[in-house]
Amino acid sequence: MDSRTEGVVAVLQEDLVGNRPGDAIRRKLAELEPNRVKRPFARWSPDREIRNWALGLVGERTTGRRLNTLRRQGWRVLHSVQWPSGSDLDHLVIGPSGVFTINSKCHRGKAVWYGDHAITVNRVPTKYIVVSEHEARRTSRALSDHCGFLVPVRPVIAIVGAARLSVKKAAPPVLVIDGARVHTVLSGLAPVLPPERVEQIFSVARRGKTWAGR
């Protein structure tokens, strides 16, 4: 087991409640530029990869702050849920309206359009919908296996900083939401889970071992 694998295993063994928004990105930035990661201005780095990761961190922190406000309404919120592969869930929220995986995307000043089964950013197609749907299915399997009952999971994409966000579908398979409103949209959905079921799912989701072997 190399040092990188040991780090992933260590994360998987922890109670995930202490994770902060963007923890996985912070680790990635430390790998890419261990000296520069200590500086607060990585998003202006001359290295494009570092800039992209740093903007991702901005998105996750912004979305995470909004989601954390849901705790006052009986929701349970987890951030940076690590898979053994090294990928992670940006955010996982469990509340009266259901269970949601939330992928944060920071696109400052850009035009984001969602219609049919695709998202474009400044008219450039992305794979956001496919990835988010896969993420939700994978999460549902993990939670269902450990809870002993089916746990449906709905995928959400939180768009942070876009100049314009256009959603053309009335009932999209993936919720695409302005990151500044993600908490109000989720809390406004119809309730489907009683408090005891929220706590039951959360008690499973917070355990690192739930996500091992996936």
Side-chain angles (χ1 to χ4, degrees):
M1 182 181 296
D2 61 27
S3 59
R4 187 171 182 177
T5 303
E6 288 175 351
V8 171
V9 171
V11 171
L12 290 172
Q13 292 172 341
E14 295 175 356
D15 182 337
L16 304 182
V17 169
N19 287 5
R20 299 171 299 168
D23 272 351
I25 291 182
R26 289 184 182 91
R27 290 191 292 271
K28 182 64 178 180
L29 284 170
E31 291 175 17
L32 291 172
E33 190 71 88
N35 295 323
R36 184 165 297 178
V37 75
K38 298 178 181 178
R39 305 178 189 178
F41 305 114
R43 60 182 181 272
W44 290 292
S45 167
D47 186 308
R48 183 176 180 180
E49 185 178 12
I50 291 176
R51 288 201 308 274
N52 288 341
W53 282 108
L55 284 173
L57 179 58
V58 171
E60 289 193 31
R61 292 178 65 183
T62 300
T63 302
R65 285 194 295 268
R66 299 293 193 278
L67 294 174
N68 284 343
T69 66
L70 291 172
R71 290 172 171 152
R72 296 193 294 267
Q73 302 174 43
W75 289 68
R76 298 293 178 256
V77 183
L78 295 171
H79 307 289
S80 301
V81 177
Q82 188 86 49
W83 298 102
S85 62
S87 62
D88 75 305
L89 302 175
D90 293 350
H91 318 278
L92 176 66
V93 296
I94 306 160
S97 304
V99 182
F100 303 85
T101 51
I102 301 175
N103 200 327
S104 300
K105 297 296 181 184
C106 186
H107 291 297
R108 284 187 168 172
K110 297 183 178 180
V112 178
W113 181 88
Y114 175 34
D116 300 323
H117 299 285
I119 289 178
T120 63
V121 178
N122 282 355
R123 299 187 178 181
V124 177
T126 72
K127 296 182 179 180
Y128 292 168
I129 299 301
V130 171
V131 171
S132 292
E133 289 180 317
H134 169 74
E135 191 173 73
R137 289 192 297 267
R138 188 181 184 188
T139 301
S140 177
R141 288 194 297 269
L143 293 175
S144 299
D145 287 350
H146 287 270
C147 286
F149 53 82
L150 178 63
V151 180
V153 177
R154 188 169 185 183
V156 176
I157 299 174
I159 304 295
V160 174
R164 184 171 68 256
L165 172 60
S166 303
V167 178
K168 298 299 183 182
K169 290 183 69 68
V174 177
L175 280 175
V176 179
I177 306 171
D178 182 341
R181 298 181 55 249
V182 63
H183 56 310
T184 57
V185 172
L186 294 184
S187 63
L189 297 175
V192 296
L193 295 178
E196 59 271 19
R197 184 51 62 94
V198 169
E199 295 303 325
Q200 190 175 3
I201 297 171
F202 176 62
S203 69
V204 169
R206 68 186 292 173
R207 299 198 300 259
K209 66 181 182 180
T210 296
W211 311 99
R214 292 285 162 183

